[in-house]
Amino acid sequence: MFSQIVEITLMNLRNIPSRLGSSSVIVVGIAGVVAVLVGLLSMAVGFSRALETTSLENRALLLRDGSNSELSSGMDVAAANIVSRLEGIEVASPELYVIADIPKRATGTPANMVIRGMRSAGLEVRPEAEIVNGRLFETGKNELIAGVKAVAEFEGLELGSEVQFRASTWTVVGHFETGGSAYESEVWGDLAVAQAVFRRGGSISSMRLLLADPALLEPLAEQIQQDPRLDLALKSEEEFYSGQAEDRAALINTFGYSVGVIMAIGAVFAALNTMYSAVSTRTVEIATLRALGFSSMPVVVSVIIESLALALLGGLLGAAVVYLLFDGYTASTLNNASFSQVAFDFAVTPELLRIGVTWALGLGLVGGLFPAVRAARLPITVALRGE
Amino acid sequence: MSQLVSCRDVTKSYIRAKEQVDVLTGINLDIEEGDFLALMGPSGSGKTTLLNLIGGLDQPSSGSIEVGGVGLQDMSERALAKWRSENVGFIFQFYNLLPVLNAQRNVELPLLLTRLSRAQRQKNAQIALEIVGLEDRAKHKPGELSGGQQQRVAIARALVADPKLLVCDEPTGDLDRETADEILNLLEVLNRDHGKTIIMVTHDPKAAAHAQTTWQMDKGKLVAEVPA
């Protein structure tokens, strides 16, 4: 039986060049499905990765109790100072989080960008931050440093450029990186200047805390919760960002799979059509083999293998195209939680490529199965007449 | 000589457009081992249907068909496929060679169903090609051969597993007179020198003249045995 399958399959595969046009319909159709599906999913993975790499295990975020984002949070510095003096907190960075309109490079239309006011502690709580171009802003001056993704996404953030926010002119004096995290979509400036320009008085939005030990997070959160002077909540950065990542990634995933399914339906029909036509042009050959004594099973298996081979080729082609075109490609989307643009890199991971190829094989299986069964069921005497 | 084929009260009917069409009715036929029998008759008389039943490509609606003492009418599809591979060689009007395989590989095909080694399969295919006089065309694909040569390859394929019975459906129907004669002479040699029992469907009285026995069919019945 095995040798029958091998022989008929090899024969079918050798036949492919004579059906190059119709075979390429399967390959291209399935490559398209895989490319779109993997492309969309790589967006979700890239977005999640950008937010998830924003967190550090021993970094915590202090927000107003009940706030889910820094934008909706607010507190006065006095309350924040109570927290910053608690035992186990190594560095505390009070920060103002505001958003401003700035044109996107790609479209020229304004989009929300995060401006984060901070003191020098802002960099101490973020050891991953590194000035890669220029220098740090100076205290008391209208100076900004811009994340590299913000520079890529928005207009006018080149070194030495001047930017207008609220009738105030800021100079970009440096660019920074934070290992690809969402911070790279922000611009940072001096806290006091930002409070004055955005008329926030002495209030801040949040405070980043570097803990001596990640295990201190829970007892500290409990302590803050119990303190009647404080209407604040302490969260781990990881928890904060993964919640934001999940929502948007789930949306992108749902969209990705929906588009994938719609395209897959089209590709299945293309595959079915091609395989039906491939089998029908070989009706007499298949019937001859069956007349000689080959059983139906090798015929079915060989047609399915041919379909799977074409689908695999399509899957690999689609995966290769999306990998070459999109892996590392930077895009941005609105983070609903922070109401600001987050730039991220598409991440075409091995797991996504595996999903893409699995889809391709699934389509190939469906596309090959029905024509194969039809070929095997047709009475030999009818098939020998080429009907 | 012993009897190889025995058909008893064989009928074959099909349902077409909800109506029963009787293609064969009351066929009784005995064929001796080593016979060369021609079936003649007008189109639609049931010649090919009878040939397909004897060759195990189809099964009768009623009656019995025994070939070499084995009843075919109740066999499963799988058993029938195995039986065909061991007992029958098929020769078709349009040769039915596989275009992507060369002559040698086409001839080897029936041997893939045996336990023979690859080397033995190749050797047997070579011998079969020698019998039909095409040993020098072994590496040629069907598209590179003439009609007569293709039919010789098909005959080699029918012979290679050494079946007792060769069933030929219009084997010269697609050939010119001269080539047809060569093929018919080859069938005669296979019958006479190799002891193959041959059943041949043909419209051509000249082709039928090569057979030892000729039966005339009409409207699904064997109507007369034509004297040689």
Side-chain angles (χ1 to χ4, degrees):
Chain A
M1 177 74 83
F2 183 71
S3 63
Q4 290 185 40
I5 292 173
V6 170
E7 199 62 31
I8 302 179
T9 302
L10 287 176
M11 200 175 63
N12 286 352
L13 295 178
R14 282 195 203 111
N15 242 326
I16 287 177
S18 65
R19 291 176 280 107
L20 210 53
S22 56
S23 298
S24 59
V25 171
I26 295 186
V27 175
V28 173
I30 290 180
V33 173
V34 170
V36 169
L37 178 71
V38 174
L40 286 167
L41 296 183
S42 73
M43 203 176 0
V45 171
F47 181 78
S48 299
R49 202 179 260 186
L51 288 184
E52 281 159 14
T53 54
T54 306
S55 60
L56 268 190
E57 203 186 13
N58 63 335
R59 196 158 57 204
L61 179 62
L62 188 69
L63 296 172
R64 180 169 55 79
D65 195 16
S67 287
N68 288 321
S69 73
E70 291 182 270
L71 192 64
S72 62
S73 170
M75 63 190 79
D76 57 54
V77 176
N81 283 343
I82 295 172
V83 174
S84 67
R85 283 193 290 270
L86 293 174
E87 202 173 331
I89 292 171
E90 291 191 329
V91 185
S93 168
E95 297 177 355
L96 181 67
Y97 182 100
V98 290
I99 54 174
D101 279 352
I102 183 163
K104 288 181 79 171
R105 277 186 195 277
T107 59
T109 53
N112 291 345
M113 183 185 70
V114 174
I115 302 165
R116 191 180 288 277
M118 57 170 68
R119 296 177 185 149
S120 58
L123 275 97
E124 288 174 47
V125 295
R126 294 179 180 85
E128 72 273 25
E130 188 188 350
I131 305 283
V132 291
N133 207 358
R135 60 172 175 79
L136 183 62
F137 56 83
E138 285 181 23
T139 308
K141 288 191 174 176
N142 284 26
E143 291 182 345
L144 291 172
I145 57 173
V148 288
K149 287 210 167 65
V151 177
E153 278 299 303
F154 299 107
E155 287 178 4
L157 295 177
E158 293 79 16
L159 210 58
S161 301
E162 294 193 332
V163 203
Q164 287 277 330
F165 297 127
R166 293 279 179 100
S168 161
T169 305
W170 299 67
T171 306
V172 180
V173 297
H175 292 159
F176 67 91
E177 283 182 358
T178 55
S181 74
Y183 287 133
E184 288 182 358
S185 302
E186 302 180 353
V187 295
W188 297 345
D190 180 54
L191 174 63
V193 178
Q195 283 171 325
V197 169
F198 292 98
R199 299 189 183 96
R200 298 298 169 96
S203 73
I204 57 172
S205 310
S206 61
M207 191 153 73
R208 287 283 188 300
L209 303 170
L210 206 57
L211 309 180
D213 186 340
L216 291 171
L217 180 84
E218 254 184 62
L220 277 170
E222 183 66 24
Q223 198 178 340
I224 292 165
Q225 188 77 43
Q226 300 300 328
D227 193 325
R229 296 170 297 171
L230 303 173
D231 182 24
L232 302 172
L234 189 67
K235 295 179 176 187
S236 78
E237 253 193 345
E238 200 178 349
E239 178 195 349
F240 178 71
Y241 283 114
S242 67
Q244 290 185 5
E246 271 169 24
D247 292 347
R248 177 48 60 112
L251 185 69
I252 299 174
N253 274 337
T254 306
F255 181 66
Y257 279 111
S258 306
V259 173
V261 165
I262 291 166
M263 288 191 69
I265 292 169
V268 160
F269 278 109
L272 278 170
N273 194 32
T274 303
M275 290 312 296
Y276 268 124
S277 133
V279 169
S280 80
T281 56
R282 294 204 307 270
T283 302
V284 175
E285 287 174 35
I286 290 170
T288 304
L289 287 170
R290 291 173 63 203
L292 296 180
F294 286 81
S295 50
S296 299
M297 184 55 81
V299 171
V300 171
V301 173
S302 64
V303 171
I304 290 174
I305 290 176
E306 179 186 347
S307 175
L308 286 176
L310 293 172
L312 181 64
L313 194 62
L316 293 175
L317 180 68
V321 166
V322 81
Y323 182 80
L324 293 173
L325 288 182
F326 290 118
D327 191 47
Y329 174 78
T330 303
S332 71
T333 186
L334 186 72
N335 180 2
N336 286 338
S338 66
F339 203 55
S340 62
Q341 292 288 315
V342 172
F344 59 93
D345 295 335
F346 279 56
V348 183
T349 61
E351 171 63 11
L352 292 187
L353 295 178
R354 192 189 61 73
I355 291 173
V357 171
T358 305
W359 268 59
L361 292 176
L363 295 176
L365 182 67
V366 175
L369 184 65
F370 297 104
V373 169
R374 182 181 178 272
R377 279 191 171 172
L378 206 58
I380 299 174
T381 51
V382 174
L384 279 173
R385 295 197 296 267
E387 290 174 10
Chain B
M1 268 194 269
S2 61
Q3 188 171 287
L4 183 66
V5 179
S6 169
C7 301
R8 288 285 166 270
D9 302 321
V10 170
T11 66
K12 182 69 185 175
S13 308
Y14 296 102
I15 303 295
R16 295 264 160 82
K18 295 183 181 173
E19 282 199 20
Q20 182 171 311
V21 180
D22 298 322
V23 184
L24 295 178
T25 48
I27 299 287
N28 288 290
L29 176 67
D30 294 318
I31 302 171
E32 298 288 315
E33 198 171 331
D35 200 355
F36 184 167
L37 180 140
L39 286 172
M40 290 190 71
S43 293
S45 58
K47 309 181 294 292
T48 297
T49 304
L50 180 57
L51 190 74
N52 288 341
L53 292 178
I54 295 171
L57 291 176
D58 203 354
Q59 285 175 306
S61 303
S62 66
S64 67
I65 297 176
E66 276 190 16
V67 180
V70 177
L72 306 185
Q73 64 282 348
D74 299 321
M75 274 191 183
S76 68
E77 196 183 319
R78 194 173 177 160
L80 208 50
K82 187 170 187 304
W83 176 84
R84 283 196 304 271
S85 72
E86 293 167 352
N87 295 282
V88 189
F90 292 93
I91 299 164
F92 304 99
Q93 180 178 358
F94 298 108
Y95 335 124
N96 291 25
L97 299 175
L98 304 190
V100 291
L101 303 183
N102 64 28
Q104 165 95 22
R105 302 277 285 152
N106 262 293
V107 174
E108 252 186 81
L109 271 175
L111 300 181
L112 292 173
L113 301 166
T114 67
R115 292 181 182 278
L116 292 179
S117 67
R118 189 180 172 83
Q120 191 61 52
R121 292 201 305 261
Q122 287 175 343
K123 192 177 169 193
N124 290 7
Q126 222 165 347
I127 292 168
L129 282 170
E130 279 169 24
I131 291 172
V132 300
L134 277 184
E135 61 272 29
D136 58 336
R137 294 283 193 272
K139 300 297 172 199
H140 289 238
K141 288 189 175 170
E144 298 159 354
L145 300 171
S146 68
Q149 287 172 328
Q150 288 188 56
Q151 193 59 297
R152 282 170 183 271
V153 174
I155 292 171
R157 182 180 65 188
L159 283 177
V160 74
D162 197 23
K164 283 185 181 166
L165 180 63
L166 297 182
V167 297
C168 316
D169 192 0
E170 302 272 11
T172 57
D174 195 43
L175 301 173
D176 60 59
R177 184 74 265 157
E178 194 182 338
T179 314
D181 281 339
E182 285 172 17
I183 294 297
L184 290 163
N185 289 336
L186 177 59
L187 291 178
E188 268 192 86
V189 169
L190 295 176
N191 173 247
R192 191 179 59 233
D193 299 346
H194 295 265
K196 302 298 174 194
T197 306
I198 299 176
I199 308 173
M200 175 176 72
V201 161
T202 183
H203 278 101
D204 179 6
K206 285 185 179 169
H210 287 261
Q212 295 161 11
T213 318
T214 300
W215 276 92
Q216 192 73 32
M217 290 191 72
D218 191 29
K219 294 176 184 167
K221 292 182 193 296
L222 285 168
V223 289
E225 185 174 356
V226 183

